[in-house]
Amino acid sequence: QVQFVESGGGLVQTGGSLRLSCVVSGVTFSLNDIGWYRRAPGKQREWFARISRGGSPVYDVSVKGRFTISRDNAKNTAYLQMNALKPEDSAVYYCNAIPNVQPWGQGTQVTVYS
C-alpha cells in the first residue's frame, strides 16, 4: 500500500526557515512527479509546489522565491526547503504523487508566529 510520511514541521518565527521531508513507499518513487500541498485552518487543501520525475520544479506564486522543492530518488524522499516564512504559511503540509493517490499521509504542522 502506498504511504506518504511527512516530517520536519514545527513552530517558527516570521522570517525563519524549516525543511520538510516526505518519505514515499508503495509506489515507484522515481517514476512519479511529486507535489507538496497545504491545508490552512478553515480552508481546503491546496497545491503549491511540484517536482517532475526529472527534477524540474514548478511553484505557485505564493511561495515562489521562498520555497525550494527537491527530491532524492535513491532515498524515495522529497524535500521542501522553506525560507522567509510568513504567518500565512501556517498550515498542515502534505506530499503526494501527481496524479494524487490514496491515502494521504498525516501531514506535518507548520506554525509561523509574528
Side-chain angles (χ1 to χ4, degrees):
Q1 183 180 359
V2 65
Q3 189 174 22
F4 300 95
V5 181
E6 302 91 350
S7 63
L11 183 65
V12 63
Q13 196 169 17
T14 297
S17 298
L18 285 172
R19 188 190 192 213
L20 307 186
S21 297
C22 166
V23 179
V24 182
S25 59
V27 295
T28 306
F29 181 80
S30 62
L31 297 183
N32 282 272
D33 291 7
I34 299 295
W36 280 97
Y37 304 77
R38 61 188 179 184
R39 176 180 284 159
K43 296 186 178 181
Q44 290 189 332
R45 183 160 45 207
E46 63 177 7
W47 167 86
F48 63 88
R50 68 183 289 167
I51 186 165
S52 70
R53 294 179 294 175
S56 298
V58 178
Y59 302 98
D60 181 77
V61 63
S62 63
V63 305
K64 193 171 185 179
R66 300 188 297 123
F67 292 7
T68 302
I69 189 172
S70 61
R71 64 189 297 160
D72 184 338
N73 289 341
K75 295 182 178 180
N76 288 357
T77 301
Y79 301 98
L80 184 70
Q81 178 66 43
M82 305 189 296
N83 298 328
L85 283 161
K86 306 175 182 179
E88 50 264 45
D89 294 318
S90 296
V92 179
Y93 282 68
Y94 305 85
C95 63
N96 204 311
I98 297 175
N100 296 155
V101 297
Q102 300 292 339
W104 289 77
Q106 293 295 311
T108 186
Q109 176 72 49
V110 172
T111 303
V112 185
Y113 64 94
S114 56

